[in-house]
Amino acid sequence: MSLKVGVIGTGMIGQDHIRRLTEVLSGVDVVAVTDIVQDRARAAAPRGAAVFDTPQALISSDAVEAVVICSWGPAHEEQLLACIAAGKPVFCEKPLVTSEAAARRVMEAEVIVGRRLVQVGFMRRFDADYRRLKRVIDGGSLGAPLMFHSVHRNASVPVGLYTSDMPLNDTLVHDADISRWLLSDEIIGVEVRVPRRSTRGGDLRDPVIVLLHTASGVLVDVEISVNIAYGYDIRGEVSCEQGVAALPNRPATVISDRHGIRQAIPEDWRERFIEAYDQEFREWIVAASEGTATGPSTWDGYAATLTADAALRAVSSGGLERIAMIDKPALYDVPLALAAE
Ligand code: NAP
């Protein structure tokens, strides 16, 4: 029996996830879609899928067993709460929500239900290179991690779609989550430095350097450049007591011609993380078919939201902004070292 899924939001990533759910993965059927723009939903709907007028109608439909949320961040809270109220497993693209208060409301609703229903779209945890890197760190052969250098570069982002805060309130959540997961540590403070602004990004505060402080004292420096023109380039290197472990460069055909010897760089996140997104959904389908969720949780989305909020405060204050988390509900009490493994 295939899991019957409804997709909310049929923009860029919604269309890509519909492609993987219908053409790549098994054990799943996209039976319903909705988008604020009806024509876009109709164009993206697989053959036979219902097109609903509203997310609420899709979520409450008896034909839909589990939901994939690919709308923009500010819409996530209402849609997540409706899924939880309906008792339906839900995959939600990052960011979980866009404020601490919203994250707590979603967490409270899920805790009342008493079983995990939400998986957040932090796909890096499903990337084979990040998983190998984590195994080396957890194995302990290099000693304790001391520093993590994370680089997050996008070729471009659509001009005018985002506010100037986008690198900190939208992009940083990936680096915050992968840092917590790789290091099995919580982020307790954030500093931000803003260099000379790139002229390519309009009003965007881009690039930025973020310094994350973890509970055990590891420092994570994150370069975020969202308009760097040459490609989508994700790097990571962990400095430990007795050695360094780094993500490898992605294998790519080596081209030699009159311009020199070169290798292609992924154009965007779809290309760089294509296998990670597939694996993220493979694992989600298994859990959702059993009426629950594994992988990155509402707690992880909450932690990333707090980091983004602290980063925005740090831009204003120019100093170290502390993060205060609530006590972790037992529902999410999986050691970070084991989460999504
Ligand atoms: P997008 O192309 O703008 O698509 C979002 C779609 O959702 C649009 O069609 C939008 O309509 C629609 N929408 C907005 N509010 C809605 C609502 N209340 N109900 C139903 N549909 C609604 O954006 P995207 O790039 O696909 O991003 C979507 C989400 O995925 C964002 O949260 C983004 O941060 C996340 N994302 C994650 C990754 C990753 O690496 N994991 C990569 C890219 C994006 P309008 O255009 O009319 O607003």
Side-chain angles (χ1 to χ4, degrees), residues 8-13 35-37 40 55 70-73 75-76 79 93-95 121 123 170 174 269 277:
I8 300 174
T10 54
M12 270 212 295
I13 205 161
D35 192 286
I36 219 156
V37 181
R40 189 161 38 204
C70 300
S71 54
W72 72 318
H76 291 180
Q79 296 163 4
E93 261 310 336
K94 51 66 54 173
M123 76 295 182
D170 192 84
H174 279 304
W269 34 271
Y277 290 118

Side-chain angles (χ1 to χ4, degrees), residues 274-304:
I274 187 165
E275 296 98 354
Y277 290 118
D278 289 350
Q279 186 59 24
E280 156 184 78
F281 272 99
R282 237 174 245 123
E283 296 183 25
W284 179 71
I285 291 163
V286 170
S289 299
E290 292 166 4
T292 186
T294 54
S297 67
T298 304
W299 177 260
D300 299 313
Y302 163 71

